[in-house]
């Protein structure tokens, strides 16, 4: 990082985030994301994810400050000492999932997910899904409300709420977690190698329609969804040393709140 990095400040629409944006731009100036050395995202985890989806292809490191309701991917907000914090920040390199969804209409929709790809039933009818791992059928029929595949960074989010495991960063694994599984009743999911290709086939898409969501991008009426770790896309998040992402994920496993 240069001595005085060029910064692109990005903020959620919330009043608090917009106020912080104006203050930081007045102090440090403003650059377009493509011209910046670093992106500073002001908001919550939802805004961080939207920043990664919008600007992740630039390959610029992203430093987030929490000005929202959730901030697991963010640092504490403090308008002072930003340059010192950026120079001391520790990187966490994340690799997203690639989702390719086939719909009833014959469309093919691709999207990236930095947290998880989830499949959910669209009606009161439970979803019936077949699960293939690297072209080998591992579960002939899962009857459930849904199922998800989570990255290590996303394993503390929806995945953890669905009783899935928290995964260490750099472990080269992903989580496959059912949501309210009815049959097999005792199946709790699996931890898979990161290079495993996961394919879900909707067994009765007309009677039991299913949607697929990559982070916040939803595709409805899917018949088949393929998920794999991206081979050519990474993003780098920056964290204050005392609040680095690995420590947060470890601490999350020892809290009861």
């Amino acid at each position: 990082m240069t001595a005085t990095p060029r910064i692109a400040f990005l903020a959620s629409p919330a009043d608090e985030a917009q106020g912080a944006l104006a203050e930081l731009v007045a102090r440090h100036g403003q650059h377009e994301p493509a011209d910046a050395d670093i992106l500073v995202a002001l908001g919550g985890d939802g805004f961080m994810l939207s920043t990664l989806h919008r600007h992740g292809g630039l390959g610029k490191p992203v430093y987030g400050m929490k000005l929202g309701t959730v901030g697991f991917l963010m640092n504490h907000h403090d308008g002072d000492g930003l340059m010192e914090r950026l120079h001391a920040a520790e990187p966490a390199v994340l690799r997203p999932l690639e989702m390719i969804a086939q719909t009833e209409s014959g469309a093919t929709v691709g999207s990236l997910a930095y947290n998880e790809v989830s499949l959910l039933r669209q009606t009161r009818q439970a979803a019936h899904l077949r699960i293939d791992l690297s072209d080998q059928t591992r579960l002939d029929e899962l009857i459930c409300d849904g199922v998800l595949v989570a990255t290590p960074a996303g394993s503390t989010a929806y995945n953890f709420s669905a009783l899935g495991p928290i995964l260490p960063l750099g472990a080269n694994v992903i989580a496959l977690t059912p949501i309210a599984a009815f049959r097999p009743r005792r199946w709790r999911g699996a931890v898979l190698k990161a290079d495993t290709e996961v394919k879900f086939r909707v067994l009765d898409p007309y009677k039991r329609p299913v949607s697929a969501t990559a982070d916040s991008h939803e595709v409805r009426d899917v018949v088949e969804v393929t998920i794999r770790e991206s081979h050519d896309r990474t993003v780098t998040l920056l964290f204050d040393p005392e609040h680095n992402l690995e420590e947060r994920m470890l601490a999350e496993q020892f809290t009861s709140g």
Side-chain angles (χ1 to χ4, degrees):
M1 188 184 299
T2 59
T4 306
R6 296 168 297 177
I7 302 174
F9 291 100
L10 309 166
S12 77
D15 290 342
E16 186 180 7
Q18 290 296 313
L21 172 66
E23 176 186 344
L24 288 167
V25 169
R27 289 190 185 190
H28 304 288
Q30 177 70 302
H31 295 270
E32 291 297 320
D35 300 325
D37 299 308
I38 186 170
L39 311 182
V40 173
L42 308 171
D45 277 355
F47 183 71
M48 172 61 82
L49 288 175
S50 69
T51 298
L52 296 181
H53 281 282
R54 185 173 182 181
H55 301 295
L58 296 174
K60 307 296 177 72
V62 184
Y63 181 89
M65 285 199 283
K66 181 182 177 182
L67 284 155
T69 55
V70 181
F72 194 82
L73 299 176
M74 316 297 277
N75 299 284
H76 294 303
H77 170 247
D78 187 343
D80 297 325
L82 176 61
M83 290 301 174
E84 291 78 7
R85 293 174 72 183
L86 292 179
H87 282 289
E90 298 179 353
V93 179
L94 309 182
R95 191 177 294 275
L97 300 171
E98 295 178 348
M99 177 189 80
I100 301 174
Q102 309 286 337
T103 70
E104 286 181 18
S105 66
T108 300
V109 181
S111 189
L112 292 177
Y114 292 93
N115 268 2
E116 76 279 316
V117 175
S118 58
L119 276 70
L120 297 170
R121 62 186 177 98
Q122 290 179 196
T123 68
R124 63 181 180 85
Q125 298 277 8
H128 288 221
L129 306 170
R130 189 185 77 195
I131 302 178
D132 294 352
L133 303 181
S134 299
D135 295 323
Q136 182 175 354
T137 299
R138 290 292 184 177
L139 199 54
D140 290 319
E141 186 175 45
L142 171 65
I143 303 174
C144 58
D145 282 354
V147 65
L148 61 85
V149 178
T151 67
S155 65
T156 60
Y158 193 4
N159 171 72
F160 192 42
S161 297
L163 305 182
I166 293 179
L167 306 174
L169 289 177
N172 292 318
V173 293
I174 54 178
L176 171 61
T177 303
I179 303 168
F182 180 68
R183 290 285 189 274
R185 190 177 294 276
R186 297 187 183 278
W187 188 64
R188 292 293 181 261
V191 175
L192 309 173
K193 290 182 179 180
D195 61 0
T196 303
E197 181 181 272
V198 183
K199 182 177 292 184
F200 299 108
R201 179 73 184 180
V202 182
L203 299 180
D204 194 354
Y206 302 104
K207 182 180 179 182
R208 303 172 183 276
V210 171
S211 65
T213 303
D215 287 346
S216 60
H217 180 205
E218 183 185 35
V219 182
R220 295 181 70 81
D221 300 313
V222 298
V223 295
E224 186 175 281
V225 178
T226 302
I227 302 162
R228 63 176 67 92
E229 188 180 61
S230 177
H231 297 300
D232 55 10
R233 173 71 69 89
T234 61
V235 295
T236 300
L237 301 188
L238 300 176
F239 293 93
D240 296 330
E242 66 273 22
H243 297 294
N244 69 71
L245 189 55
E246 289 190 26
E247 173 59 30
R248 291 186 193 190
M249 296 175 74
L250 184 62
E252 189 76 9
Q253 299 175 76
F254 292 89
T255 60
S256 58

